[in-house]
Amino acid sequence: MAHTPSVLFVCVHNAGRSQMAAGFLRAMAGDRIEVRTAGSEPAAELNPAAVEAMAEIGIDIAGERPKPLTDDAVGLSDVVVTMGCDEVCPYFPGISYRDWVLADPAGQPIEVVRGIRDHLQILIGNLIAELVPVPAR
């Protein structure tokens, strides 16, 4: 049986960017990639604008909850994607780290959050192609 890659998305509050990225990855990759999220300083709840922006395109993240960043979450991941959490993410040799530079949707109007969402969709598509490439015919 083939290995299922695991991706951890990390941002400060685990309430916007990381949750939108996880929503896209789950929707676009299905069970081909395991998905986790965490925050260095998790918020009490998701950013309502992030939930709304994702719902507009048919992806429901409303049931997700911000979670704290742990060494275990990092250590169990093949790829860790950080989004503005600076150097708080633990480093483990053998894990692939990516830093995606994206604006923080906290406090932003829905128009700005939509732009962040659309950028994430492109990044997630590229990540899926890298982790689970389609076999050549």
Side-chain angles (χ1 to χ4, degrees):
M1 185 169 173
H3 171 72
T4 301
S6 176
V7 176
L8 171 66
F9 294 106
V10 182
C11 67
V12 176
H13 300 296
N14 189 219
R17 294 168 287 193
S18 57
Q19 295 289 352
M20 289 191 296
F24 271 125
L25 190 54
R26 287 184 186 106
M28 295 167 67
D31 62 359
R32 296 179 298 157
I33 300 175
E34 184 180 350
V35 183
R36 293 183 186 83
T37 67
S40 55
E41 298 174 22
E45 59 187 28
L46 293 189
N47 178 334
V51 173
E52 179 183 346
M54 294 300 285
E56 289 175 351
I57 59 167
I59 299 175
D60 182 8
I61 63 170
E64 299 298 323
R65 296 290 169 251
K67 296 166 280 309
L69 178 62
T70 65
D71 287 354
D72 286 344
V74 175
L76 293 172
S77 302
D78 296 304
V79 176
V80 175
V81 178
T82 60
M83 301 176 214
C85 60
D86 299 321
E87 280 90 38
V88 300
C89 192
Y91 176 81
F92 289 87
I95 294 174
S96 178
Y97 289 84
R98 322 288 168 84
D99 186 39
W100 291 353
V101 178
L102 296 156
D104 186 347
Q108 298 295 329
I110 189 67
E111 296 79 20
V112 172
V113 178
R114 286 180 185 131
I116 297 166
R117 174 201 66 200
D118 295 346
H119 189 183
L120 275 167
Q121 185 173 19
I122 294 165
L123 292 169
I124 294 298
N126 293 339
L127 183 64
I128 292 169
E130 177 187 340
L131 296 177
V132 286
V134 176
R137 292 183 176 216

